[in-house]
Amino acid sequence: MSKTAAVIKGDGVGPELVDAMLKVTEAAGTDVEFVMCEAGAGWWEKHGGNSLIPDETWDILDSSDACFKGPTTTPGGIGSPRSVAVSIRSKYNLYANVRPIKTFPNSSAPLGDVEMVCVREGTEGLYIGEEIQLTDDVSIAIRKITRTASHKIASYAFEEAKRRGYDAVVPIHKSNILKLTCGSFLEEVEKVGKNYPGIEIWPYHIDNIAQQLIKNPQIFNKKVLLSTNLFMDVISEECSALVGSIGLIYSANIGDSFAMFEPAHGSAPKYAGQDKVNPVATVLAGAWMLDYLGEKEKSEAIFKATKRVISEGKYVTYDLGGNAKLSQMAGEIAKYTAEILK
């Protein structure tokens, strides 16, 4: 039986990017059945309620093998719903948010070539969204860190390092100030690390690594950067800048029995409908999903085709120094993907 994937096209540039991803996976000859569903600010503005995800979409997600989410807009302000991504991560316990960071040939490398993976705990920390107003003047946010989740994400990070042949896991923390939350996180990383004698542990304070990633990012090549939810949200954005464009960064949210794949960037509403933005992050997130669903050869072909298009530099979008449209670049990736699989 073929696998099924729920597909949320999202807001802003999301629909056109997801269409590009679907075009490329079609060229790869995927057998995955894509089931379209709605979620995001656009849907919520029309229908209201306390969630950006309608009940029908939850039903589709429950019956699918994986989810693909295009960029979605999250409304801000008091009383607005939590984001689509956070809601799905929470419901399906997608504890590992993973962003590979690697310089592409013939693309901008502002501070030199880099290769690393960012692993972010995806279910707790400040992202539980629990805030309390104590007085008219004082509000507090709860940062929830459990040893259970810390141990689980540390295990994922060491396994990822082992799988890739990387030589270190870099836990990012602030345990000199946050002695209980960051302290317990770091202790769990060190416990897990004892089971991986060939992989070093390089602890870094959050402020120090933010500086070192600009001063000398190559010291983190072939390392897994690991942290709690908000810290790694920030650091992974900084790492994304090292490859020249957030439009190149694909990501996955992985649990024990379900996963959601998405580009790392936002919905960029000012570019919606202009056929302009870089499709690579979306296309490669889709390719990663195919791998997850058992279509490794087709996934690898999409990665190879994308690398070739960027290397040639003829059909690349404005952020990569070219003038190709989103659809043109996606079309070239689709064409090369089909050729590779012939």
Side-chain angles (χ1 to χ4, degrees), residues 113-187:
D113 289 354
V114 294
E115 180 186 345
M116 61 193 74
V117 173
C118 294
V119 173
R120 168 187 174 192
E121 200 291 316
T123 63
E124 51 180 37
L126 282 168
Y127 276 72
I128 64 172
E130 293 187 12
E131 299 176 293
I132 302 168
Q133 185 172 348
L134 298 179
T135 70
D136 289 343
D137 184 49
V138 180
S139 298
I140 61 172
I142 296 172
R143 182 181 191 243
K144 177 186 174 184
I145 302 293
T146 65
R147 288 186 178 273
T148 301
S150 297
H151 193 93
K152 202 162 189 175
I153 196 64
S155 298
Y156 186 95
F158 278 96
E159 281 295 316
E160 186 73 6
K162 181 181 176 182
R163 185 178 72 81
R164 291 176 178 267
Y166 286 6
D167 59 7
V169 168
V170 183
I172 300 163
H173 65 100
K174 195 64 177 173
S175 65
N176 57 335
I177 303 299
L178 299 167
K179 298 179 188 295
L180 281 175
T181 51
C182 276
S184 59
F185 165 74
L186 190 57
E187 284 181 4

Side-chain angles (χ1 to χ4, degrees), residues 46-117:
K46 294 176 185 175
H47 299 89
N50 59 4
S51 174
L52 298 182
I53 305 175
D55 291 342
E56 310 87 79
T57 294
W58 285 121
D59 291 340
I60 293 170
L61 288 165
D62 286 343
S63 62
S64 298
D65 298 297
C67 170
F68 188 92
K69 187 189 77 65
T72 50
T73 301
T74 305
I78 296 171
S80 57
R82 69 198 316 203
S83 80
V84 173
V86 170
S87 298
I88 294 174
R89 287 177 197 145
S90 177
K91 179 169 182 181
Y92 299 105
N93 194 27
L94 307 183
Y95 56 87
N97 178 267
V98 188
R99 285 189 187 185
I101 308 290
K102 187 175 181 179
T103 307
F104 281 86
N106 195 34
S107 64
S108 171
L111 301 175
D113 289 354
V114 294
E115 180 186 345
M116 61 193 74
V117 173

Side-chain angles (χ1 to χ4, degrees), residues 2-62:
S2 65
K3 302 284 188 175
T4 61
V7 177
I8 297 168
K9 289 195 172 183
D11 303 305
V13 294
E16 54 198 299
L17 285 171
V18 172
D19 284 345
M21 181 275 293
L22 294 172
K23 178 178 181 177
V24 174
T25 57
E26 182 182 351
T30 182
D31 292 319
V32 173
E33 179 187 354
F34 297 107
V35 184
M36 301 300 148
C37 46
E38 292 190 279
W43 176 86
W44 178 72
E45 286 164 3
K46 294 176 185 175
H47 299 89
N50 59 4
S51 174
L52 298 182
I53 305 175
D55 291 342
E56 310 87 79
T57 294
W58 285 121
D59 291 340
I60 293 170
L61 288 165
D62 286 343

